[in-house]
Amino acid sequence: MKKNLFYLSLVVLPCVFFLICCETSSKSLPILGFSDIQNGDTIYHTIPDFAYVDQNGDTVSQKTVAGKIYVTDFFFTHCPTICPKMAQQMLRLHAKYQSNKDFLLLSHSIDAKYDTIATLKKYADKLGVGESHTWHFMHVPADELFDQAKSYLTAVQKDTMESTGFTHSGHFVLVDGQRHVRSFCDGTKPDEVDKLMKDIDILLDEKRH
């Protein structure tokens, strides 16, 4: 049953969000996730506070991303399937936006036991971005992983049927300066990442104005 719910989240939720996005203007993006009305004000879904150590031993937290636009994903360094494809697309984002002080990339490792800080550093070095200050490969404690993925409206699950022991979404999630989820895409597909870049540009343009 749990596995069925996991795959439902991978198939149905993206379709719902796609329909929401299609109904909005090309010059604005929706705020995704649940919202609530409190004292007449709309309270939108917000990424909760966090603090994780990256490949350089630095702590990345809500203070790091305050006021910044960022794209996040979930991966693990020994993933043989979708992660290499995702990494290549994240490299495209890094190449385009690395000089923009208002943009960051956050990659959450889902294998806390294997992906030590040293392993994450080797992985980042292999990609050629080990010294990057705009792309953080973060070690996430196992007891925080699933709630963190859920906060980004994406899915991570232990799966004994998989040789790697994990099943996870390949989504890239776009978050604004107030930690609201604004867009997402399939991070294994270059054409979808192209569309995400347009969404990134919309948010960066809004921030400049």
Side-chain angles (χ1 to χ4, degrees), residues 142-159:
D143 60 351
E144 298 180 26
L145 174 63
F146 302 109
D147 285 341
Q148 186 69 353
K150 184 179 179 181
S151 75
Y152 284 104
L153 311 179
T154 190
V156 173
Q157 181 172 293
K158 289 184 178 180
D159 189 347

Side-chain angles (χ1 to χ4, degrees), residues 110-193:
I110 67 174
D111 189 346
K113 183 177 181 180
Y114 183 90
D115 285 344
T116 63
I117 302 303
T119 300
L120 292 173
K121 183 65 166 68
K122 290 179 181 178
Y123 182 81
D125 286 343
K126 187 175 180 179
L127 290 176
V129 294
E131 301 301 324
S132 176
H133 295 289
T134 58
W135 188 356
H136 303 278
F137 297 82
M138 302 182 300
H139 181 271
V140 182
D143 60 351
E144 298 180 26
L145 174 63
F146 302 109
D147 285 341
Q148 186 69 353
K150 184 179 179 181
S151 75
Y152 284 104
L153 311 179
T154 190
V156 173
Q157 181 172 293
K158 289 184 178 180
D159 189 347
T160 57
M161 299 299 292
E162 293 288 336
S163 60
T164 58
F166 296 98
T167 302
H168 66 101
S169 162
H171 289 148
F172 291 173
V173 181
L174 175 60
V175 183
D176 67 18
Q178 289 72 49
R179 285 188 277 158
H180 297 146
V181 176
R182 303 297 297 274
S183 183
F184 72 99
C185 75
D186 184 335
T188 68
K189 297 180 178 179
D191 59 332
E192 291 207 14
V193 177

Side-chain angles (χ1 to χ4, degrees), residues 2-40:
K2 289 183 178 179
K3 192 165 185 178
N4 289 337
L5 290 174
F6 174 79
Y7 285 111
L8 183 65
S9 71
L10 295 185
V11 176
V12 176
L13 289 179
C15 293
V16 172
F17 291 155
F18 177 76
L19 291 173
I20 292 172
C21 292
C22 286
E23 293 176 355
T24 63
S25 165
S26 61
K27 294 185 179 180
S28 64
L29 298 176
I31 297 177
L32 303 180
F34 296 103
S35 62
D36 191 19
I37 304 296
Q38 296 181 10
N39 299 321

Side-chain angles (χ1 to χ4, degrees), residues 69 97 100 102-103 200-208:
I69 293 155
Y97 297 106
N100 192 311
D102 293 319
F103 184 81
I200 293 169
D201 291 339
I202 288 172
L203 292 187
L204 289 173
D205 185 63
E206 288 178 354
K207 185 173 177 60
R208 284 193 294 268

